Amino acid sequence: MWEGTEGDQLLTNEQTTENQEYTKGELQPKQCRDGPFAFLFYGHLAAIAFLCVKYIPEVESPEVESGDIDLGNVDLKSISTMVLVAAAAGFVASLCGLAMIMACAKTIIHLSLVFSIISSIAVVVIAIASGNILSSIVAVLMLVLTTCYYCAVKDRIPFAAANLNTATTAVKENLFGLLASTVFFDLLGFLYSVAWGLGYMGIFAEWGCFSESNVCETDGIRGAVIFFLLLAMFWTSQVFMNLGAVTNAGTVGSWWFNPEDSGSCGSGIRGAFSRAMTTSFGSICFGSLLVAIIEALKTMVQNERAQSDGPDILLCIVQCILQCLEDILEYFNKWAMVYVGLYGYGYIEAGKNVITLFKARGWTTVITEDLGSRAISFLAFILSLVVGCAGLVIKMIDQDLFLPYWAAYLTCFIISYIVILVMFGVVDSALNTVIVLYAEAPSEFQANHPELSEEMREEWLKVYPDL
């Protein structure tokens, strides 16, 4: 599909040192990578299916005495209308958001940073008003750090905006294909979560945890079962999330190298989706499992801390260590999955290659800045605040709706926020891919997308003239 060219030394070949050997990525032969982890994932699905079939029948609906809940006041038709309106409005808002990013990315990034400062000021005011000295000191310290961060990165906003504009353009060219794949993976994750939750409750019902005695022993073998269930849930969630990330990376890579393959049903999105579901599936399962193990262990430790009679310093230290390990693995996974999606490398090789790329280019500082992702989250929040007003309109039209005004607004806000985050998550994933590709293949970008390339190059030289 695409291969390296000598012209890719455009940016910073001079910065590559002898001890940082780097070879440009190439599309790998079509063969399964990290296959054992794919089979292990399929085996875990079979185990979860067995548990669901065996234990879901144990779940019984609790008897509800008459008068406890007045279902006559619940208008399911009105609730359904509100959910559909909020979801549709969220989708339209996400499309408007894409247009806003392309039109004024710099302003959005700037506002997201200013919003952080304003939020910090509000926290300081609340802390001082509460009279808590320690909270006030911490709040002031956070305000100082937030302000210093803004001053440190404000000159880099134009380059971050150019990155964001490029990522949004790539998503727009493959919009409905990327959206369809993202919704597909999210739907699979939702169905799995429902089945897992029912099976989890069935196992606890079998153990007598919902009996009148309310005594539930979770030591020994039962503790191992709980750990496996938590691991299964976190693993599957990570797999579906990374399937979307790998599909997005492959699609953006196709747009970068072969723009003629772009389109909602083009060969770019089809090929990326196919590779994610087949040859790269084992690599996705491998990286997802590492994070899931840490998440499951952290959840077990948190549960132990919650059940302990007093503060446990040892458990606190263990939880902090696990949190640090989780952050490191998630950071590594973010870039490794981009390389998996672009070229089809195995998980370990992909992670090693992409980190070597950034070191060779001198980009270790560039990738630690998260201005684009911050702006995306900020815009999603603001748009959801606006869409939440749809709930107020519905309540004004239907005065008989059992929800109060604040609940109607909150319902529309939450639903629209989820929808917008799903859409903007595609942009965030594309943004990571753009950063990797600009470090690795700027000459192809110049050849296939000259206007975007010139914009990024111009802003790059302003911010990083020595790189």
Side-chain angles (χ1 to χ4, degrees), residues 110-146:
H110 181 81
L111 289 176
S112 69
L113 294 171
V114 173
F115 180 77
S116 298
I117 296 176
I118 295 175
S119 300
S120 298
I121 294 175
V123 172
V124 169
V125 172
I126 294 173
I128 294 176
S130 67
N132 190 314
I133 298 177
L134 180 59
S135 298
S136 300
I137 294 174
V138 173
V140 171
L141 179 61
M142 293 302 299
L143 173 60
V144 172
L145 292 175
T146 302

Side-chain angles (χ1 to χ4, degrees), residues 64-88:
V64 180
E65 297 181 2
S66 59
D68 288 349
I69 300 177
D70 187 4
L71 295 178
N73 291 333
V74 179
D75 188 350
L76 295 180
K77 182 178 179 181
S78 297
I79 293 297
S80 300
T81 300
M82 180 176 295
V83 170
L84 291 175
V85 168

Side-chain angles (χ1 to χ4, degrees), residues 392-448:
L392 301 179
V393 175
I394 294 175
K395 176 64 177 178
M396 293 174 61
I397 296 175
D398 185 4
Q399 292 291 334
D400 295 330
L401 183 65
F402 77 98
L403 291 175
Y405 278 98
W406 68 266
Y409 178 88
L410 185 62
T411 299
C412 285
F413 168 80
I414 294 174
I415 294 173
S416 63
Y417 188 63
I418 293 173
V419 173
I420 294 172
L421 277 185
V422 168
M423 185 63 201
F424 281 8
V426 176
V427 179
D428 196 25
S429 179
L431 181 61
N432 296 330
T433 308
V434 166
I435 293 174
V436 172
L437 286 171
Y438 193 62
E440 183 161 67
S443 61
E444 283 91 338
F445 188 41
Q446 176 66 36
N448 296 322

Side-chain angles (χ1 to χ4, degrees), residues 75-321:
D75 188 350
L76 295 180
K77 182 178 179 181
S78 297
I79 293 297
S80 300
T81 300
M82 180 176 295
V83 170
L84 291 175
V85 168
F91 177 73
V92 173
S94 66
L95 296 180
C96 295
L98 291 180
M100 292 171 63
I101 292 173
M102 297 178 67
C104 51
K106 292 180 184 178
T107 302
I108 294 173
I109 295 176
H110 181 81
L111 289 176
S112 69
L113 294 171
V114 173
F115 180 77
S116 298
I117 296 176
I118 295 175
S119 300
S120 298
I121 294 175
V123 172
V124 169
V125 172
I126 294 173
I128 294 176
S130 67
N132 190 314
I133 298 177
L134 180 59
S135 298
S136 300
I137 294 174
V138 173
V140 171
L141 179 61
M142 293 302 299
L143 173 60
V144 172
L145 292 175
T146 302
T147 305
C148 290
Y149 177 76
Y150 170 76
C151 294
V153 302
K154 65 179 181 179
D155 292 336
R156 301 165 191 170
I157 290 177
F159 178 66
N163 280 340
L164 192 55
N165 184 35
T166 299
T168 306
T169 302
V171 170
K172 187 189 73 170
E173 294 294 327
N174 303 274
L175 180 60
F176 291 102
L178 288 174
L179 181 61
S181 64
T182 301
V183 171
F184 174 72
F185 293 134
D186 287 345
L187 180 60
L188 289 180
F190 172 76
L191 295 176
Y192 177 90
S193 299
V194 172
W196 180 91
L198 292 174
Y200 188 86
M201 292 180 62
I203 291 175
F204 272 69
E206 176 71 14
W207 291 348
C209 296
F210 301 136
S211 61
E212 294 181 359
S213 62
N214 198 30
V215 176
C216 185
E217 296 293 335
T218 57
D219 298 330
I221 298 299
R222 290 186 175 185
V225 172
I226 292 175
F227 176 77
F228 168 76
L229 290 172
L230 291 174
L231 178 62
M233 183 63 200
F234 289 130
W235 191 13
T236 306
S237 299
Q238 285 287 324
V239 166
F240 287 134
M241 181 182 70
N242 287 325
L243 278 170
V246 169
T247 301
N248 295 340
T251 304
V252 173
S254 180
W255 170 84
W256 189 280
F257 292 99
N258 302 305
E260 65 276 5
D261 293 337
S262 297
S264 296
C265 297
S267 59
I269 179 67
R270 296 199 310 269
F273 180 83
S274 175
R275 290 191 301 275
M277 295 294 289
T278 54
T279 56
S280 294
F281 188 69
S283 301
I284 293 171
C285 293
F286 186 7
S288 301
L289 178 60
L290 297 179
V291 176
I293 291 174
I294 301 299
E295 288 183 327
L297 289 172
K298 189 179 72 173
T299 301
M300 297 288 284
V301 171
Q302 288 174 338
N303 185 61
E304 286 296 322
R305 288 190 65 191
Q307 294 181 358
S308 62
D309 297 331
D312 193 317
I313 301 300
L314 180 59
L315 287 178
C316 181
I317 294 174
V318 172
Q319 183 177 340
C320 290
I321 293 174

